[in-house]
Amino acid sequence: MDSIRVQGMAPLQGKVKIQGSKNAALPILAASLLIEGQVLLENVPKISDVYGMLHILEELGCHVRWERELLRVDSRRAKLGGISAELAKSMRSSIFLLGPMLSRFHEVTMEYPGGCVIGKRPIDLHLEALRRMGVQFVDENGQLRASVKALHPAALELPFPSVGATENVIMAAVKTEGVTLLRGAAREPEVQVLCEFLNSCGASILGIGTNFLRIEGVRHLRETRFRIPSDRIVAGTYLLAGFSCGGSMFLEEAPLRHMEAVCSVAQKMGATLTVSENGIYAQFPERAGELPLVRTNIYPGFPTDLQSVLLAVRCTGRGKTLVQENIFENRFRIIDELKKMGACFRMVNEREVEVTGVPKLLGASMEARELRGGAALVVAALGAKGESRISGRRFIDRGYENICRDLRELGARIVSE
Ligand code: EPZ
């Protein structure tokens, strides 16, 4: 089956190793099309979105091989080809192929990447920036067809620091002769890691970590071996889960320097965090302390990908919390599911919800409809009285290697069915 069963109220106690970052790995895999030779990647998470991207790369003629914990990708034999519809639709991250394929093949035809329950997920910022570099887009039988005689450098500015649009511009520009400037670039750690990966292959990207990137095109990108950093959203999910049922945990290899906002919120809610060189030790209060307001924001603000998990935790926190979602327009879908457990919400408007903490939630049967909302339902179930069942595990598997294994290592009573 495709569900998860949880016996709630087991205090967490234990340690778990944090997997590699989904949102760092996906653009880096797309960027492997730019490298003449093999790319050896360490710590790539074994999740369905990565398998989907690898399937697309193989369809394009890349040679992909797992060697235990090492992933070897060789794109030397890659050729221009269509990207299968079901894969492109099922995985929004297929949009990351635009930049590398235009750089290498000067054209690509793909399904419009699927929107999802958290929002329409438009790609206008991607298209506008690439048009400025000479790309033409046409709609061909409902598919997006992009072509360019030769990409040219440009001085670009993103009106909103879109992570994906920033990454597509970087990948389109790294082998485009001349200097491309990108103002208003996203600063998320995953963007920084993509730049570090490309520079390790010989690219010339300056301004990494700032919102102003200078990319000077180079003729060749050479083979490299690169380690994907740990996933800050998976680490943040487990850190916040500790408030559901109390206890303590050690998050091994948690990427602390990319987790300032979530650690700050955890401390405000009463967690004691002790940092060591290879992770974070966290001790939790019986009940999450007051937290009047949380706003999601671009990095380094509180990440939108942890908003649902925080909402779940606040269902049994002390007092009221106003949660403001400023990145996606439809990221409160799990409220109806959490209400089945007895949670108390007041919708202020489509971007704001007020949650009033209750002493305990009750186990219930719920349905996951997207990745982070599904993880949030699991987190809520950990602290609930009685048994919960969450269907739609496939959505959670898109980003978590094995959420049941990880949480069991922390002492949770949880099985997948
Ligand atoms: C990336 O998505 C992540 N996905 C998302 O993680 C993450 O939530 C998001 O960045 C924000 O941090 C991957 O990296 C694979 P955006 P992306 O472009 O690139 C609007 C997860 O759970 N927008 O920064 O799609 C958009 O609608 C996922 O791991 C436009 O209007 O995010 C949204 O409201 C969920 N036009 C906002 O910008 C565009 O052309 C942020 O989108 C592009 C985006």
Side-chain angles (χ1 to χ4, degrees):
M1 275 165 72
D2 176 36
S3 61
I4 289 175
R5 188 153 49 87
V6 181
Q7 289 296 340
M9 295 179 69
L12 296 184
Q13 189 80 35
K15 80 171 184 173
V16 66
K17 183 175 177 303
I18 302 301
Q19 70 181 60
S21 165
K22 162 175 100 76
N23 292 347
L26 292 170
I28 283 174
L29 288 171
S32 62
L33 285 168
L34 296 167
I35 284 92
E36 296 113 37
Q38 298 192 51
V39 169
L40 290 177
L41 296 174
E42 299 171 21
N43 204 34
V44 176
K46 293 182 168 63
I47 54 178
S48 52
D49 271 16
V50 162
Y51 298 139
M53 178 64 82
L54 292 177
H55 190 168
I56 291 175
L57 292 178
E58 286 178 309
E59 274 188 347
L60 293 171
C62 296
H63 182 67
V64 169
R65 195 171 70 216
W66 288 96
E67 295 166 4
R68 281 194 303 285
E69 291 320 298
L70 199 58
L71 177 67
R72 190 183 295 271
V73 181
D74 186 338
S75 70
R76 274 174 289 200
R77 296 187 190 290
K79 58 200 175 310
L80 177 60
I83 295 170
S84 56
E86 70 277 5
L87 267 177
K89 270 200 174 307
S90 70
M91 244 178 48
R92 193 181 148 67
S93 31
S94 50
I95 190 70
F96 292 138
L97 290 158
L98 262 187
M101 290 194 68
L102 286 166
S103 172
R104 179 160 175 180
F105 301 118
H106 303 158
E107 69 171 87
V108 56
T109 301
M110 64 165 66
E111 292 290 319
Y112 287 89
C116 56
V117 288
I118 65 174
K120 293 188 295 293
R121 311 295 292 275
I123 56 171
D124 55 312
L125 302 179
H126 299 243
L127 305 186
E128 191 40 46
L130 293 170
R131 275 194 194 96
R132 296 282 312 283
M133 296 179 73
V135 180
Q136 292 187 324
F137 294 95
V138 290
D139 184 284
E140 203 168 74
N141 315 320
Q143 290 197 315
L144 174 67
R145 185 171 187 284
S147 59
V148 61
K149 278 195 180 43
L151 284 163
H152 57 71
L156 304 170
E157 177 145 15
L158 288 176
F160 175 84
S162 154
V163 171
T166 301
E167 292 169 339
N168 257 328
V169 167
I170 292 165
M171 293 189 281
V174 276
K175 293 179 82 173
T176 297
E177 191 178 353
V179 174
T180 294
L181 301 174
L182 177 59
R183 285 186 170 74
R187 296 170 48 208
E188 269 67 13
E190 295 76 27
V191 175
Q192 299 179 38
V193 170
L194 174 64
C195 294
E196 288 156 7
F197 165 76
L198 288 167
N199 279 357
S200 79
C201 302
S204 172
I205 305 170
L206 297 177
I208 298 176
T210 75
N211 53 18
F212 178 32
L213 296 176
R214 180 187 186 280
I215 305 153
E216 181 156 10
V218 295
R219 292 176 61 79
H220 301 289
L221 290 176
R222 59 180 181 272
E223 296 189 343
T224 191
R225 178 171 179 140
F226 191 82
R227 179 173 181 77
I228 304 290
S230 300
D231 192 308
R232 63 187 173 107
I233 304 300
V234 170
T237 302
Y238 299 159
L239 177 62
L240 293 173
F243 288 101
S244 269
C245 34
S248 63
M249 63 176 71
F250 183 70
L251 300 176
E252 193 180 340
E253 294 192 18
L256 186 74
R257 65 194 179 95
H258 295 151
M259 295 174 66
E260 305 92 341
V262 65
C263 286
S264 162
V265 161
Q267 287 169 319
K268 280 184 194 151
M269 296 197 288
T272 306
L273 304 183
T274 311
V275 173
S276 67
E277 78 284 350
N278 71 332
I280 307 173
Y281 179 68
Q283 292 163 291
F284 300 93
E286 272 300 301
R287 194 176 175 194
E290 303 261 345
L291 186 73
L293 171 66
V294 172
R295 293 189 181 94
T296 64
N297 209 332
I298 58 173
Y299 190 80
F302 189 86
T304 174
D305 292 347
L306 286 174
Q307 180 260 97
S308 299
V309 174
L310 183 72
L311 203 60
V313 162
R314 293 308 309 169
C315 291
T316 53
R318 294 185 191 287
K320 293 180 188 298
T321 301
L322 182 70
V323 178
Q324 218 180 58
E325 171 53 56
N326 295 306
I327 305 296
F328 288 104
E329 70 271 21
N330 192 16
R331 211 164 196 178
F332 288 134
R333 290 282 299 263
I334 61 164
I335 285 174
D336 292 339
E337 298 303 303
L338 292 170
K339 282 180 177 173
K340 294 175 183 173
M341 304 177 85
C344 177
F345 293 102
R346 179 173 69 85
M347 283 311 290
V348 176
N349 56 55
E350 65 168 18
R351 293 278 185 157
E352 287 183 322
V353 64
E354 181 187 72
V355 45
T356 303
V358 296
K360 267 286 170 249
L361 293 177
L362 299 175
S365 287
M366 297 171 282
E367 187 185 354
R369 292 188 183 82
E370 40 91 14
L371 166 54
R372 306 301 177 185
L377 297 179
V378 172
V379 166
L382 292 175
K385 200 167 166 12
E387 181 176 282
S388 296
R389 190 184 298 274
I390 296 116
S391 62
R393 193 189 68 234
R394 65 191 178 284
F395 293 107
I396 303 173
D397 292 347
R398 293 187 55 178
Y400 296 78
E401 276 186 341
N402 189 331
I403 197 167
C404 294
R405 171 203 67 195
D406 288 351
L407 290 172
R408 261 200 307 277
E409 281 174 22
L410 291 174
R413 292 183 299 226
I414 180 171
V415 290
S416 58
E417 295 180 322

